[in-house]
Amino acid sequence: MEKRFGKILMTVLAGLLLVNCGGGSSGSSGGLQIGGIDRLGVSAGTVTGFGSIFVNGVEFDTDDADFDIDDDDIGSSQDDLDVGDTVIVTFDPDVAGNVALTVFSDEAVEGPIDSIDLATGVLVVV
């Protein structure tokens, strides 16, 4: 579990670093536009719909995908996700179509809200 979480965390950090440095890609896989690092088989974004799962408007087949939602990698499923959730999808870019291998989602911030400053847009969570 720790090793898998470490891999996911490193993937997320590497993706964020590349995007923040302008190294992110919006290339294509199977003719579709994918936000994220498609040449490495990683797409990060917002769930925009279901059927399979749509992330950034791109459909991924999730029939055989492993789900890790809110640190529950055993009992998680697509049913634990909602439109608007942020996810990281891994896939094999060398396989035709967009077939998800893993779908990871966890809250970026957890805790009670202490204050909201509407003037600055700062939200304080304790």
Side-chain angles (χ1 to χ4, degrees), residues 26-35 38 57-60 97-98:
S26 290
S28 64
S29 175
L32 298 174
Q33 293 298 314
I34 297 177
D38 64 310
V58 176
E59 182 176 13
F60 289 90
N98 296 311

Side-chain angles (χ1 to χ4, degrees), residues 24-126:
S25 171
S26 290
S28 64
S29 175
L32 298 174
Q33 293 298 314
I34 297 177
I37 312 168
D38 64 310
R39 67 187 174 279
L40 299 178
V42 178
S43 181
T46 303
V47 175
T48 56
F50 291 101
S52 293
I53 188 174
F54 289 80
V55 178
N56 297 326
V58 176
E59 182 176 13
F60 289 90
D61 179 342
T62 57
D63 289 342
D64 295 320
D66 291 324
F67 286 83
D68 186 348
I69 312 300
D70 296 331
D71 296 324
D72 182 5
D73 64 341
I74 297 174
S76 295
S77 72
Q78 182 170 308
D79 295 335
D80 298 320
L81 294 171
D82 294 309
V83 170
D85 285 351
T86 300
V87 297
I88 299 169
V89 178
T90 62
F91 60 96
D92 185 344
D94 296 325
V95 172
N98 296 311
V99 179
L101 300 173
T102 61
V103 179
F104 173 80
S105 178
D106 201 359
E107 294 90 5
V109 178
E110 253 180 65
I113 296 173
D114 184 56
S115 64
I116 301 173
D117 185 340
L118 297 177
T120 62
V122 173
L123 171 74
V124 178
V125 177
V126 292

